[in-house]
Each structure stands twice: as structure tokens, then as C-alpha cells.
Amino acid sequence: MRIINLFSKSVLTISIAMSSGLAIAHEGHQMGISDSASATNVSSNNSVVTDKTDHSMHEMVTTSRDYDAESSHQGHDHRKEHGAQIYAVTTVDNKWLVNEDGSGALKSKLETRIGTDENKIFIKLHADKHESEDMKFDAKVLYSRMISDFWDAQAGVRYRYEKVELGQDRKDIEEKLDGVFGLHGMAPYFFETDAYLYAGEDNFSGFSLETERDLLLTQKLIVKPYLELDVVFSDDSKYAQKTGLSSATVGLETRYEINKKVMPYIDVAYAYAKGNQQTAWQDISSSEKGWNYGVGLRFKF
């Protein structure tokens, strides 16, 4: 019996020891799993932190690149893209007029401007051919410099040519060269304006003004009131005009724009011319005034 009891106690002791060992092993295994998971989480967290750090670095690099690009962009000269392009525009205008006496006249204008918004060269040619008379014309070459948003200051020269009838089939040619200074731009209420002062040979000084405004009836039908006048301050030439208001024209043009390059129009105007003064080479002439009616064709390219 004693042997059996000892054997039973031994078996019980071994069983308790085995159970304790299994429990310890299980706890160790659980701790191993927990440690592995913790290590995995730490590694994962580290990778997340690393990813966040890398992303932040990427943002910093991108921001730095953007800043460098913006700095380079700010330092770039944009004048070639905005306002410094060289462009050229030419307008050719021919107008046929008839006055109240039925006498006809052809008036032609050519204007070319070439340059940038700030600096341009203007070439202007005006030619008048009255019925039974020779053509007379003047040509201007002007340098134009922008001085404000709406105005250019201009300076240059004007050449005048006129063939004068002396009677008995005699003619004389008068050629003059004048200095020109003036303004070109947009006056208040959108009146496009050219105002010039002249000084030249034979104590000549004068002033001219041309102003006009477009009033749109439709996108293609346009009415344009205009004013042209010439003033002579002094003139000691052989075939001088009277001093004061030498000529003036107030008119109304109605044009139809087939497109921006071809524009026919009709014109009604009231014109005044003061006449010529008495000199050793010509007789005094009286003033003329009256209505003129005409049609014209303008090209722009």
C-alpha cells in the first residue's frame, strides 16, 4: 500500500510539474507572439513615420523647386510676350467728293505704323487732286513714343509739294520741309486725335488737328463724326495762305465693314477754306465754303 501511495504521489507530482511546464511554455509562446507583433507594429510604425518623413521631404523639395521656378519666372523678361512685339498696320483711304457746284475732287490718305506699343514709326501721306488742277500732297515721317496709357508724343518732318497755276500755261513748283511735333492718342470720350505743330522755311508756323469718333449702330455699320482743321500762324513764302484758320472740315462718315480689311463708306461734310494772301507772286483769293458729298473705300492690312 505504501508503494502504491508513493507511486500515486510521484505521478501526481509529475503531472503537476508537466502542467506547470506546459503553462509556462504557453505563456512564453504567447509572449513571443506578442513580442513579434509588437516588433511588427514598431516596424510598421517606423515605416509610416519614414513614409511621412519622406513625403514631407518630397513636399519640401517640390516647394523649393516651385520657388526656384517662380523666382526664375519673376526674373524673366516678359516684354517680348506683352507689349514689345513689332507689328505693322497700313491703312489706304480713297475718297471721291463733289461740291455744291458739281466740281469733283479726289482725296487719298495712306498711313503706315510699324513698331512696338512703346516705340513706333509713323508714315503719313495726304494727296488732294481737285478737278482741273494738279495734285498736291504732303508726307510725314514721325517717331512716336508712348508717354501715357492713351497718348504718344511724336516728332519728325513733313514734306510739302504743290504745283501752282500761274496762268498762261505757266506753273511753278513749291516744295517745303517742316519740323513737326505733336500728340497722337485718345482724347476724352474716345475721340482719336492727331494734333501737330509745324515750323519750317520762310518763317512758316502752323497747327493742324484731326479728331474722330466711331459710333457703332451694329457690329458692321458704323457712324463716324470727324473734324479736320489747319491754322497758319505765319507764312512768308511765295504762295502763302492767309493767316488764322486756313481750312476746316466737319463731316459725318457712315461705313459698312465687310470685314476688318475692306470698308466702303459714304461721306457728307461742310468745308471751309480761307484762301491765299496777296504776295508778289500771287493775287489774293477769297474764301470758299459749302457742302461736299462723296463715297470712299478704305483698306486696312
Side-chain angles (χ1 to χ4, degrees), residues 112-292:
T112 295
R113 60 183 74 179
I114 181 170
T116 66
D117 287 340
E118 294 182 348
N119 300 283
K120 293 181 285 291
I121 297 295
F122 277 66
I123 300 173
K124 296 186 175 186
L125 174 65
H126 292 183
D128 291 345
K129 173 65 172 70
H130 291 268
E131 189 174 332
S132 304
E133 296 181 10
D134 291 310
M135 180 177 290
K136 61 180 180 180
F137 68 87
D138 67 80
K140 300 186 191 77
V141 178
L142 304 170
Y143 166 69
S144 184
R145 171 70 179 179
M146 186 177 70
I147 57 174
S148 71
D149 291 339
F150 298 102
W151 291 100
D152 285 9
Q154 297 184 332
V157 294
R158 178 179 71 168
Y159 170 76
R160 292 181 288 154
Y161 173 91
E162 183 177 2
K163 189 175 289 187
V164 182
E165 298 281 350
L166 300 178
Q168 299 179 354
D169 297 328
R170 293 186 304 113
K171 296 181 180 180
D172 193 6
I173 294 176
E174 186 176 42
E175 296 179 284
K176 299 294 182 183
L177 194 64
D178 306 317
V180 184
F181 178 79
L183 294 173
H184 163 80
M186 192 75 70
Y189 304 102
F190 303 101
F191 280 90
E192 186 173 351
T193 302
D194 291 320
Y196 298 114
L197 289 169
Y198 304 95
E201 302 174 76
D202 298 321
N203 194 33
F204 175 81
S205 61
F207 171 77
S208 70
L209 174 69
E210 297 180 12
T211 185
E212 60 190 36
R213 190 194 194 287
D214 283 347
L215 302 172
L216 275 67
L217 302 180
T218 69
Q219 290 296 321
K220 290 183 174 291
L221 187 62
I222 300 168
V223 173
K224 182 180 76 174
Y226 66 89
L227 169 67
E228 300 174 357
L229 60 87
D230 289 283
V231 178
V232 175
F233 299 128
S234 64
D235 190 1
D236 296 334
S237 63
K238 294 165 58 176
Y239 307 106
Q241 296 177 319
K242 292 178 181 178
T243 57
L245 180 61
S246 176
S247 64
T249 303
V250 179
L252 185 66
E253 173 193 301
T254 303
R255 74 176 182 269
Y256 181 80
E257 294 188 349
I258 298 174
N259 52 49
K260 293 301 180 181
K261 295 183 178 181
V262 181
M263 293 164 275
Y265 62 88
I266 59 175
D267 186 58
V268 178
Y270 187 82
Y272 166 81
K274 194 172 187 178
N276 298 328
Q277 62 179 318
Q278 178 74 47
T279 68
W281 294 270
Q282 73 178 4
D283 295 327
I284 191 171
S285 61
S286 60
S287 61
E288 298 178 358
K289 56 186 176 182
W291 290 95
N292 291 327

Side-chain angles (χ1 to χ4, degrees), residues 40-162:
T40 302
N41 289 334
V42 170
S43 176
S44 176
N45 290 335
N46 288 337
S47 70
V48 170
V49 172
T50 303
D51 289 344
K52 288 182 178 179
T53 304
D54 292 343
H55 184 66
S56 299
M57 291 298 293
H58 176 70
E59 288 181 350
M60 290 174 65
V61 171
T62 303
T63 304
S64 177
R65 288 176 180 174
D66 292 342
Y67 177 77
D68 293 340
E70 185 177 356
S71 299
S72 174
H73 182 70
Q74 289 176 351
H76 181 67
D77 186 358
H78 291 282
R79 289 179 298 174
K80 291 185 178 180
E81 288 82 4
H82 302 284
Q85 305 96 325
I86 295 177
Y87 62 91
V89 178
T90 298
T91 303
V92 178
D93 190 343
N94 290 299
K95 180 165 55 177
W96 295 267
L97 295 170
V98 176
N99 61 21
E100 294 176 341
D101 297 330
S103 178
L106 171 64
K107 294 182 178 291
S108 299
K109 295 182 180 180
L110 181 146
E111 179 180 303
T112 295
R113 60 183 74 179
I114 181 170
T116 66
D117 287 340
E118 294 182 348
N119 300 283
K120 293 181 285 291
I121 297 295
F122 277 66
I123 300 173
K124 296 186 175 186
L125 174 65
H126 292 183
D128 291 345
K129 173 65 172 70
H130 291 268
E131 189 174 332
S132 304
E133 296 181 10
D134 291 310
M135 180 177 290
K136 61 180 180 180
F137 68 87
D138 67 80
K140 300 186 191 77
V141 178
L142 304 170
Y143 166 69
S144 184
R145 171 70 179 179
M146 186 177 70
I147 57 174
S148 71
D149 291 339
F150 298 102
W151 291 100
D152 285 9
Q154 297 184 332
V157 294
R158 178 179 71 168
Y159 170 76
R160 292 181 288 154
Y161 173 91
E162 183 177 2

